[in-house]
Amino acid sequence: MSAATIARLKITLDDVKPVVLRRVEVPFDIRLDWLHLTIQAAMGWTNSHLYEIRAGGVGWSTPYPDADWAGDFIDARKARLADIIEDIGSRTLKYLYDFGDGWEHTIKVERLIDREPGIVFL
């Protein structure tokens, strides 16, 4: 995959009826902390709770050095979606938002496509 590859993601909020889902397109090499912010915007969340992105038994989050659980996660600022997908060999991740209420999401990479000329991602 090149740096210009785009990932079409299907983000589904688990265990709710009716189904709540969003589809977004992001650079395939997006850092996981930016993916978290993308999910926040797409789902309408307020980024006011802790989060974790999980794949292959590993979790990533924003580090909170003073927390007693800080060592439980890998720094999301140092991991990219493309690397995670390639390392675990699966196109599905889990996203947990708000550890108290436990809003679990399933993220599936539906498609990888080449970026169209003139399209800018912010």
Side-chain angles (χ1 to χ4, degrees):
M1 297 293 125
S2 73
T5 301
I6 301 299
R8 178 172 295 153
L9 306 179
K10 178 181 173 184
I11 305 163
T12 306
L13 181 59
D14 297 341
D15 303 320
V16 296
K17 298 284 184 205
V19 173
V20 176
L21 70 88
R22 304 289 187 270
R23 282 190 171 86
V24 298
E25 291 184 353
V26 298
F28 190 44
D29 67 346
I30 190 171
R31 286 187 351 211
L32 295 187
D33 60 325
W34 284 96
L35 178 58
H36 155 68
L37 294 175
T38 301
I39 296 167
Q40 288 290 296
M43 298 302 289
W45 303 133
T46 60
N47 197 25
S48 54
H49 299 283
L50 301 174
Y51 75 96
E52 176 188 29
I53 296 172
R54 290 199 69 76
V58 178
W60 292 266
S61 189
T62 301
Y64 297 94
D66 297 334
D68 59 354
W69 45 264
D72 294 344
F73 306 106
I74 298 172
D75 189 344
R77 299 171 300 181
K78 297 179 180 179
R80 296 190 179 275
L81 177 62
D83 297 333
I84 302 309
I85 297 300
E86 290 172 11
D87 287 348
I88 65 168
S90 172
R91 290 183 168 215
T92 303
L93 300 97
K94 287 293 191 175
Y95 174 77
L96 175 61
Y97 177 61
D98 187 347
F99 293 174
D101 287 336
W103 295 103
E104 292 189 34
H105 306 69
T106 299
I107 304 167
K108 291 187 180 183
V109 178
E110 289 188 314
R111 256 178 91 184
L112 297 175
I113 54 179
D114 291 328
R115 183 176 297 175
E116 293 182 30
I119 303 294
V120 178
F121 282 87
L122 303 176

